[in-house]
Amino acid sequence: MSPAENEPSKAEDPRWDQLVENFKSLDAQAPREASAAERAAQLEKLFNTGPLARGPRDFEPADTPDEFVPEEPAALGSGDPMLNLAWVGAAGGPFGLLFCVIFFRSAPGFIYLGLAAAAILGIFYLLRRLPTQRDPGDDGAKV
Protein backbone atom coordinates (compact mmCIF):
# COMPACT_ATOMS: atom_id res chain seq x y z
CA MET A 1 0.00 0.00 0.00
CA SER A 2 1.25 3.39 -0.83
CA PRO A 3 0.73 6.44 1.39
CA ALA A 4 -1.53 7.94 -1.24
CA GLU A 5 -3.92 5.04 -0.85
CA ASN A 6 -4.18 5.60 2.96
CA GLU A 7 -5.25 9.21 2.55
CA PRO A 8 -8.94 9.67 1.95
CA SER A 9 -9.73 11.34 -1.26
CA LYS A 10 -11.56 14.62 -1.17
CA ALA A 11 -13.93 13.45 -3.79
CA GLU A 12 -15.24 10.52 -1.70
CA ASP A 13 -16.33 12.48 1.41
CA PRO A 14 -16.29 16.24 0.93
CA ARG A 15 -18.26 16.95 4.12
CA TRP A 16 -15.63 15.23 6.28
CA ASP A 17 -12.86 17.16 4.59
CA GLN A 18 -14.77 20.38 5.14
CA LEU A 19 -15.14 19.57 8.87
CA VAL A 20 -11.42 18.89 9.16
CA GLU A 21 -10.58 22.20 7.48
CA ASN A 22 -12.99 24.04 9.79
CA PHE A 23 -11.38 22.37 12.80
CA LYS A 24 -7.91 23.43 11.66
CA SER A 25 -9.06 27.02 11.26
CA LEU A 26 -10.66 26.99 14.74
CA ASP A 27 -7.46 25.63 16.26
CA ALA A 28 -5.42 28.41 14.70
CA GLN A 29 -7.73 31.08 16.11
CA ALA A 30 -7.89 29.66 19.66
CA PRO A 31 -6.57 32.07 22.31
CA ARG A 32 -3.37 30.96 23.95
CA GLU A 33 -2.87 30.87 27.69
CA ALA A 34 -0.71 33.59 29.18
CA SER A 35 2.73 32.57 30.38
CA ALA A 36 3.79 32.86 34.01
CA ALA A 37 5.79 36.01 33.32
CA GLU A 38 2.84 37.63 31.55
CA ARG A 39 0.51 36.72 34.45
CA ALA A 40 2.97 38.15 36.97
CA ALA A 41 3.15 41.39 34.96
CA GLN A 42 -0.67 41.58 34.82
CA LEU A 43 -0.98 41.04 38.58
CA GLU A 44 1.71 43.62 39.32
CA LYS A 45 -0.08 46.13 37.08
CA LEU A 46 -3.40 45.31 38.75
CA PHE A 47 -2.22 45.56 42.37
CA ASN A 48 0.47 48.22 42.08
CA THR A 49 -1.43 51.19 43.44
CA GLY A 50 1.55 53.35 44.36
CA PRO A 51 2.80 54.70 47.68
CA LEU A 52 -0.01 57.22 48.19
CA ALA A 53 -2.90 54.93 47.38
CA ARG A 54 -5.16 53.90 50.21
CA GLY A 55 -6.30 50.32 50.51
CA PRO A 56 -8.92 48.54 52.61
CA ARG A 57 -6.51 48.12 55.52
CA ASP A 58 -5.89 51.85 55.67
CA PHE A 59 -9.53 52.57 56.55
CA GLU A 60 -10.11 54.40 59.81
CA PRO A 61 -13.73 54.74 60.92
CA ALA A 62 -14.95 58.13 61.99
CA ASP A 63 -15.25 58.58 65.74
CA THR A 64 -18.86 58.72 66.80
CA PRO A 65 -19.71 60.47 70.04
CA ASP A 66 -22.54 58.11 70.99
CA GLU A 67 -20.79 54.74 71.05
CA PHE A 68 -22.74 51.76 72.31
CA VAL A 69 -21.80 50.74 75.84
CA PRO A 70 -23.56 47.60 77.07
CA GLU A 71 -25.06 47.67 80.53
CA GLU A 72 -23.31 45.80 83.30
CA PRO A 73 -24.63 42.24 83.63
CA ALA A 74 -26.18 41.15 86.90
CA ALA A 75 -23.97 39.30 89.34
CA LEU A 76 -24.18 35.53 89.39
CA GLY A 77 -26.42 34.24 92.13
CA SER A 78 -28.44 37.41 92.36
CA GLY A 79 -32.10 37.41 91.54
CA ASP A 80 -34.74 34.94 92.64
CA PRO A 81 -33.26 32.49 95.20
CA MET A 82 -35.96 29.91 94.50
CA LEU A 83 -35.04 29.93 90.81
CA ASN A 84 -31.36 29.39 91.67
CA LEU A 85 -32.28 26.57 94.03
CA ALA A 86 -34.47 24.96 91.38
CA TRP A 87 -31.59 25.02 88.89
CA VAL A 88 -29.25 23.49 91.44
CA GLY A 89 -31.76 20.73 92.12
CA ALA A 90 -32.60 20.11 88.45
CA ALA A 91 -28.96 19.96 87.36
CA GLY A 92 -27.26 18.81 90.55
CA GLY A 93 -29.69 16.02 91.42
CA PRO A 94 -28.88 13.80 88.42
CA PHE A 95 -25.16 14.50 88.75
CA GLY A 96 -25.30 13.67 92.46
CA LEU A 97 -27.12 10.41 91.71
CA LEU A 98 -24.53 9.50 89.09
CA PHE A 99 -21.70 10.35 91.48
CA CYS A 100 -23.23 8.23 94.25
CA VAL A 101 -23.85 5.27 91.93
CA ILE A 102 -20.25 5.31 90.67
CA PHE A 103 -18.24 6.22 93.78
CA PHE A 104 -20.45 5.81 96.87
CA ARG A 105 -22.50 2.66 96.40
CA SER A 106 -22.97 2.08 100.09
CA ALA A 107 -24.72 5.45 100.56
CA PRO A 108 -27.87 5.34 102.66
CA GLY A 109 -31.16 5.19 100.80
CA PHE A 110 -32.31 8.60 101.98
CA ILE A 111 -29.43 10.22 100.00
CA TYR A 112 -30.63 8.58 96.78
CA LEU A 113 -34.22 9.55 97.55
CA GLY A 114 -33.21 13.11 98.45
CA LEU A 115 -31.21 13.60 95.24
CA ALA A 116 -34.03 12.14 93.13
CA ALA A 117 -36.58 14.35 94.90
CA ALA A 118 -34.37 17.43 94.40
CA ALA A 119 -34.10 16.71 90.67
CA ILE A 120 -37.84 16.12 90.27
CA LEU A 121 -38.86 19.15 92.31
CA GLY A 122 -36.34 21.40 90.55
CA ILE A 123 -37.57 20.35 87.13
CA PHE A 124 -41.20 20.72 88.24
CA TYR A 125 -40.57 24.26 89.56
CA LEU A 126 -38.77 25.31 86.37
CA LEU A 127 -41.59 23.96 84.22
CA ARG A 128 -44.20 25.77 86.33
CA ARG A 129 -42.38 29.09 85.82
CA LEU A 130 -42.66 28.87 82.03
CA PRO A 131 -45.12 31.33 80.51
CA THR A 132 -48.54 29.83 79.85
CA GLN A 133 -49.93 32.44 77.47
CA ARG A 134 -48.42 34.01 74.39
CA ASP A 135 -48.59 37.59 73.30
CA PRO A 136 -49.85 37.47 69.67
CA GLY A 137 -47.69 40.44 68.67
CA ASP A 138 -44.49 39.02 70.18
CA ASP A 139 -42.29 36.85 67.96
CA GLY A 140 -39.84 36.14 70.78
CA ALA A 141 -36.89 38.15 69.44
CA LYS A 142 -35.30 40.59 71.83
CA VAL A 143 -32.51 43.03 71.05
Side-chain angles (χ1 to χ4, degrees):
M1 281 192 159
S2 68
E5 292 176 359
N6 289 339
E7 286 186 20
S9 70
K10 294 186 180 188
E12 288 181 17
D13 197 3
R15 290 188 305 185
W16 177 258
D17 293 332
Q18 183 184 7
L19 286 173
V20 170
E21 290 301 321
N22 287 341
F23 182 72
K24 286 180 182 176
S25 68
L26 286 176
D27 192 33
Q29 297 172 359
R32 66 176 185 85
E33 190 173 330
S35 67
E38 290 172 340
R39 273 191 248 137
Q42 289 173 350
L43 287 174
E44 184 177 334
K45 180 182 173 187
L46 181 65
F47 290 110
N48 186 9
T49 56
L52 298 177
R54 295 181 53 85
R57 293 188 181 176
D58 298 327
F59 177 74
E60 294 177 12
D63 291 332
T64 56
D66 52 339
E67 292 183 18
F68 173 72
V69 179
E71 63 185 48
E72 194 69 28
L76 291 176
S78 64
D80 186 11
M82 280 301 292
L83 180 64
N84 293 339
L85 187 62
W87 275 110
V88 168
F95 283 120
L97 283 170
L98 182 66
F99 180 78
C100 285
V101 166
I102 293 174
F103 298 112
F104 192 45
R105 287 209 170 194
S106 62
F110 70 88
I111 290 180
Y112 289 111
L113 290 174
L115 289 171
I120 292 170
L121 290 174
I123 292 170
F124 177 74
Y125 182 78
L126 291 175
L127 289 175
R128 291 289 294 165
R129 281 186 48 102
L130 288 175
T132 57
Q133 295 177 352
R134 283 190 163 179
D135 182 13
D138 185 17
D139 62 355
K142 295 193 179 182
V143 179

